[in-house]
Amino acid sequence: MGRDLLDLFSMNKWRCSWSLAATIASVLALVSVVHLVSFPLTPTLNNFKIAQDSCIPANVSAEFPSNRDQEQPAVDFKLQFPADLHGAVVYQGAPWKAEIGHWLAGCDSVIKEVNITEIIGGNNCKNDCSGQGVCNRELGQCRCFHGYSDLSFVHWGTFPLLSFLLKDLWQLHCASASLFANVQTNRPTVGRDGCTEQLQLECNYEGLPDQPFGRWVVSICPANCDKTRAMCFCGEGTKYPNRPLAETCGFQFIPPSKPDGPKLVNWSQIDQDVFTTNGSKRGWCNVDPADAYSGKAKIKEECDCKYDGLWGRLCEVPVESVCINQCSRHGHCRGGFCQCHNGWYGVDCSMPSVLSSITEWPSWLRPARIDIVDDARANGKKINLNAVVAKKRPLIYVYDLPPEFNSLLLEGRHFKLECVNRIYDDKNVTLWTDQLYGAQMALYESLLASPHRTLNGEEADFFFVPVLDSCIITRADDAPHLSMLEHMGLRSSLTLEYYKKAYTHIVEQYPYWNHSSGRDHIWFFSWDEGACYAPKEIWNSMMLVHWGNTNSKHNHSTTAYWADNWDKIPSNKRGIHPCFDPDKDLVLPAWKVPDANVLTSKLWARSHEERKTLFYFNGNLGPAYTNGRPEDSYSMGIRQKLAEEFGSSPNKDGVLGKQHAKDVIVTPERSENYHLALASSVFCGVFPGDGWSGRMEDSILQGCIPVVIQDGIFLPYENMLNYDSFAVRLSEEEIPNLIKILRGFNETEIKFKLENVKKIWQRFVYRDSVLLEAERQKSAFGHVDDWAIEFLKLTEDDVSATLMQILHYKLHNDPWRKQVRHNKQFGLPHQCLVSTS
């Protein structure tokens, strides 16, 4: 009976009046209320004691637990939750800085759910985007697929942002497929046409004298340019016209000048052999896969299956592409862009409408009490349902940005491994990548599926702006002329421009930025030097980064890679700000591959006695070593100084470090079992590379005490957690004394730090994102892989949980928020509404 009612409620099956709909909705509301009563959502606060002298009056609603009429003894959080000898207060197993730990232990632990009204519905898009895009229901604007536009004509002066975005998108389409592009557009009318305007892109190849953009340009098509995917394919006249013809595959090579020298690409000469039908020549576009695998036909070795959505040596197997949350099982992944099923919307098709069945709503919208609008409003512009959902703060609103900031970047990837944390094999089984920048995708997907997500911007505490900068920067490599034209060849400057466009979009289209001048907005900068090149307009916001350089010592660009250097970005674009402000920003852990073997071996749990190596570091040590980075500025010289003192492998001159020791390993030679080597060490080095590196995560995940040497640069959670409880931080000047200092730690202190590393390692893992993928795999195949089984066993707080705890603390302890509470329901005792430190 209940199921029949819910199916009837699905709007695409309605053949009745809105009055009847309201009746049905009332029945559903009753069912929801019964569900809420049967399964209580709110934790009891009977054991919480209010400290009357540690709070101030606040305008709060009846939803807050009130103890004013109860005479209970006051409890001081500092006495209730004392700090340890290192100045840390433990909450959920982690050693926090005292003032933060006091508040979390006393307040985050007792938060109560509050009722939030989520609006299901919104503005319709013209022609429902004509099947060539997905509607942003809040704005009534289409997110169009590659090759289509929602605007039939926009005057450049009337709508500068939208025209700017479209012009760049048109350039991006063609430029990513050919270095020289002619864009032709028809502009018949003014207004929005629902993705009916097809962009006419012509991509013409022209030779490049002296290869000005280097050896690895992938944006020149020797044959057919797919104008909808901005990629090169073999094209008509070949046996396999849809086979990719990527990167250097279609061009001739110049013989190396030295016997062991690299081959150089001759961009002015197309290699006609890739089109050959002669099996004795190294071909590509006409090679039959069976002949290639049997050895009857040769393949040009520079040709490869690099594009996402294809598998096999000759790209002969179509597979699942990577989309955000794989479209939440409510859409089709179209090369990286979610094409949502009827009644579903959003970048990952997770936003329902009145046409979707309530039984299929995401968990962050259930259970809900449903109210339906009256007939008068239903016949107007909006058709809405009000779903009242019990949620815990902090609440996060995730902007549904235009696709050029996310979906189109995924769809236009020239290399399937770029900027994502997974791909799919020939059986559509998940293959996790070791892409360090995969954290950006992991967090984005987790927030979209989080119980802290809200569609109600007026109730939100924070606003997440999802710009995939890791995809933008790699796109600049694929099509370097994008950054050459206006940005001096700097990928950093190109990326700044993208963030500026996103800022302009949300300011012009949404009301939320002006509520706080952007201080409650969150941006993620995942690349090597983080938010160093954030545009000045957004610096008030919270920056999530992997690089926490406060510029207190290293007050310039520290990367050795010139295209990422931000020193030359004009101050009228970047402003004058540090890369990281510990008062408002946060360093998040980098992405690490979910490895079932590492989890089952429990290397993180190894005891002090099992760790025979005192200090371990394995990585690039600079120009003194074979295959070392040639730049003296690499790692700001820190790794080089370390090797000079403690190098355990001979450099090019056959020399070891001046203080080399048997139980100290500092080597550029990769261990056969890197994880085991870390787990066999007491202390592990954490030094920068080109900006941040993933060595902090490597150390923590293998239970090794991290030794941090990078002055003025914060590591993950360092402005929140008490690092002295589980790490060692030394100044760069102390490098010559490193081993002497480490040998000075007594057994008690070492075991204390090792035990704390064991307690916090899961906070460096993106478990939520991994389990979302496990759910998708179970739905598709009916079972999960070993990595999912092991991750399901993890129960401690991960990156997402840690971030929510930090945001919850900031919500009630950032001074500026005291003026912008707007009488919201916070679900907390009075004393928790102000700082208790």
Side-chain angles (χ1 to χ4, degrees), residues 10-58:
S10 182
M11 295 294 295
N12 60 345
K13 297 182 180 180
W14 280 14
R15 298 291 185 271
C16 57
S17 69
W18 281 92
S19 300
L20 179 57
T23 303
I24 296 172
S26 300
V27 175
L28 287 171
L30 179 60
V31 173
S32 297
V33 170
V34 172
H35 189 281
L36 288 168
V37 172
S38 303
F39 302 97
L41 299 170
T42 308
T44 177
L45 296 171
N46 290 339
N47 296 324
F48 191 86
K49 298 178 175 61
I50 295 297
Q52 297 289 349
D53 57 353
S54 63
C55 59
I56 61 173

Side-chain angles (χ1 to χ4, degrees), residues 217-237:
V217 172
V218 300
S219 54
I220 306 171
C221 285
N224 181 65
C225 169
D226 184 323
K227 300 171 185 178
T228 63
R229 296 191 63 195
M231 296 178 181
C232 305
F233 292 85
C234 288
E236 296 181 4

Side-chain angles (χ1 to χ4, degrees), residues 176-177 217-226 230-236 238 240-251 267 270-276 282-286 300 302-307 310 314-315 414-415:
S176 295
V217 172
V218 300
S219 54
I220 306 171
C221 285
N224 181 65
C225 169
D226 184 323
M231 296 178 181
C232 305
F233 292 85
C234 288
E236 296 181 4
T238 63
Y240 299 96
N242 295 321
R243 182 172 292 169
L245 194 62
E247 205 196 26
T248 59
C249 177
F251 295 92
W267 295 108
I270 295 175
D271 184 0
Q272 296 296 335
D273 283 354
V274 297
F275 305 106
T276 185
R282 298 187 311 148
W284 178 250
C285 289
N286 291 298
K300 184 177 180 180
E302 289 81 12
C303 296
D304 199 1
C305 193
K306 295 180 172 65
Y307 294 166
L310 296 169
L314 288 100
C315 309
H414 283 270
F415 300 106

Side-chain angles (χ1 to χ4, degrees), residues 754-792:
L754 286 173
E755 284 301 314
N756 275 317
V757 171
K758 293 178 186 178
K759 294 175 182 177
I760 66 167
W761 71 270
Q762 292 188 38
R763 292 182 182 269
F764 288 73
V765 174
Y766 288 85
R767 186 191 67 228
D768 270 10
S769 176
V770 174
L771 292 184
L772 285 172
E773 183 64 16
E775 289 178 12
R776 293 190 283 266
Q777 288 292 293
K778 186 175 182 180
S779 175
F781 302 113
H783 63 84
V784 294
D785 289 336
D786 291 344
W787 53 263
I789 294 172
E790 294 304 319
F791 267 76
L792 284 166

Side-chain angles (χ1 to χ4, degrees), residues 99 269 391 774 835:
E99 67 275 14
Q269 293 295 320
K391 290 179 174 289
S835 176

Side-chain angles (χ1 to χ4, degrees), residues 612-618 642 646 648 661-666 677 680-687 704-709 738-739 742-743:
K612 304 301 182 183
T613 301
L614 175 69
F615 177 82
Y616 181 86
F617 181 77
N618 178 198
L642 181 82
F646 308 107
S648 58
K662 186 176 181 180
D663 60 349
V664 174
I665 298 177
V666 176
S680 300
S681 306
V682 178
F683 298 98
C684 296
V686 177
F687 316 122
C704 188
I705 300 170
V707 179
V708 180
I709 303 179
L738 169 63
I739 300 305
L742 297 183
R743 294 195 193 279

